[in-house]
Amino acid sequence: MTARTWPCCRLRLAPIAAVLLLLCLTTSLLGGLWLNAGCWGTRSDQIKLGTNDLAGDDPSWGPHKMAVIVPFRDRFNELLQFLPHLHQFLSHQRIRHHIYIMNQVDGLRFNRASLINAGVLLTANDTDYIAMHDVDLLPLNDDLNYSYPASGPYHLSAPSLHPLYHYPTFVGGILLLTKKQFHLCNGLSNRYWGWGREDDEFYRRIQEAGLKVFRPDGITTGYETFHHIHDPSRRRDQKRIGEQRRVQFIRDRETGVSTVRFRLLTTTKLRIHSAPCTVYSVQLYCNRSQTPWCEIPKK
């Protein structure tokens, strides 16, 4: 299949669109219900997703359905580009899917891993595999295959293709797993507050679960395979506070999808340029005795 350029990645969106999206996603920090992984089956039964399935009953789309789980906070301009682009890309491949924006609305540091864990639990009924997907990474090559990863975790944004990260154990950016594979690893560690390192720890979980990471083969577009839309003026939270400097390199055997705690505040259905998504606005729980670095100390 010949690679083609996807026009959606070149959208120039008016600032007013980002403001409208911000208003849609803004939610009160009151209310909600604290959830923990111990009752995830019951919780999922109570949340009927009711997604608009473009494929309907067309068997050519296959039997599987993917939950695209997007950890998110204050990335409105990126989301305005990401959502219509990825929905069009996956529909072209005839991949049954729904996109879930895991919107962290608490006052804690960003925790990508816990948001993914929460997303897996909240989508338990409606999908059988996931894509852990960064909001700032847009696929451009049609040969990138988002199909059901039956053989093992499938790392689409391979080190030979990702615009920025090229070390051999890298599994960040876009990673596909079946729900069973994800639970075999007990999901991701909940200890990683701030930017980075959670993917490296997850690679060790994948290895210890006896799973093999697969990557695309025969892609010739190299580092032009994805469009990276990260705003360089946006600073990443790379602070390492106290014991976090040491703990970030240690395999976490205590936390994961089985222990994640969060409060689901709102469930919002959105469409951007006809592309549907579900926004889960959540507050994460921090055990300050275990991870006091979930907050940056006030000066």
Side-chain angles (χ1 to χ4, degrees):
M1 185 183 295
T2 303
R4 59 175 169 156
T5 301
W6 285 79
C8 294
C9 70
R10 297 195 299 270
L11 287 175
R12 295 294 183 263
L13 296 155
I16 188 63
V19 173
L20 291 173
L21 181 60
L22 173 60
L23 291 173
C24 288
L25 298 186
T26 301
T27 183
S28 170
L29 297 183
L30 299 175
L33 173 67
W34 282 110
L35 305 174
N36 59 60
C39 60
W40 67 271
T42 301
R43 178 173 64 258
S44 300
D45 290 342
Q46 295 172 344
I47 300 171
K48 299 301 182 183
L49 303 177
T51 57
N52 186 357
D53 192 346
L54 178 67
D57 295 326
D58 186 343
S60 68
W61 287 65
H64 301 288
K65 186 173 181 181
M66 175 174 63
V68 181
I69 298 177
V70 184
F72 181 85
R73 175 186 267 172
D74 300 336
R75 305 283 294 273
F76 303 104
N77 286 321
E78 288 95 330
L79 183 60
L80 287 168
Q81 298 179 65
F82 170 85
L83 184 61
H85 177 90
L86 188 65
H87 179 64
Q88 180 183 353
F89 190 93
L90 296 174
S91 299
H92 177 73
Q93 289 192 3
R94 305 180 82 78
I95 301 293
R96 293 184 190 271
H97 67 279
H98 191 73
I99 299 172
Y100 298 89
I101 310 302
M102 299 303 301
N103 181 32
Q104 184 177 341
V105 296
D106 50 51
L108 303 173
R109 300 172 73 189
F110 188 66
N111 191 320
R112 177 178 180 269
S114 290
L115 290 173
I116 292 171
N117 286 338
V120 169
L121 300 182
L122 289 171
T123 63
N125 277 358
D126 199 45
T127 55
D128 57 356
Y129 73 111
I130 66 168
M132 298 161 42
H133 211 301
D134 287 352
V135 72
D136 59 6
L137 202 58
L138 307 185
L140 301 180
N141 189 323
D142 282 334
D143 291 335
L144 292 169
N145 189 348
Y146 280 80
S147 296
Y148 184 79
S151 299
Y154 190 66
H155 187 215
L156 270 176
S157 53
S160 61
L161 305 176
H162 195 282
L164 297 179
Y165 305 113
H166 309 138
Y167 57 95
T169 59
F170 173 65
V171 290
I174 309 169
L175 181 65
L176 275 58
L177 303 96
T178 68
K179 294 283 185 73
K180 181 178 180 181
Q181 292 161 4
F182 187 83
H183 284 286
L184 279 174
C185 301
N186 193 21
L188 291 92
S189 168
N190 297 309
R191 291 180 173 176
Y192 287 84
W193 299 91
W195 183 83
R197 298 292 183 189
E198 77 285 338
D199 290 321
D200 296 334
E201 202 269 354
F202 189 56
Y203 179 79
R204 296 169 67 181
R205 293 182 179 225
I206 292 172
Q207 284 188 311
E208 291 181 13
L211 300 171
K212 177 182 177 181
V213 175
F214 294 86
R215 293 187 168 105
D217 186 35
I219 302 290
T220 60
T221 45
Y223 299 148
E224 303 298 320
T225 303
F226 298 93
H227 177 51
H228 189 234
I229 56 175
H230 181 77
D231 182 355
S233 67
R234 185 192 300 275
R235 292 194 172 189
R236 292 188 171 104
D237 176 9
Q238 298 183 351
K239 294 181 177 65
R240 297 295 182 261
I241 300 169
E243 275 291 285
Q244 187 180 17
R245 298 182 183 91
R246 179 184 65 85
V247 172
Q248 65 179 330
F249 298 108
I250 298 175
R251 167 74 164 89
D252 174 14
R253 300 187 183 280
E254 297 179 4
T255 78
V257 68
S258 63
T259 64
V260 66
R261 292 184 63 192
F262 60 95
R263 176 179 288 170
L264 176 61
L265 296 181
T266 61
T267 301
T268 306
K269 302 298 177 78
L270 292 180
R271 282 183 177 271
I272 300 175
H273 297 293
S274 77
C277 74
T278 298
V279 181
Y280 288 128
S281 291
V282 300
Q283 290 178 330
L284 300 178
Y285 170 80
C286 172
N287 184 332
R288 288 169 176 78
S289 66
Q290 294 183 356
T291 57
W293 53 84
C294 64
E295 296 176 302
I296 296 177
K298 296 180 180 180
K299 295 182 179 180

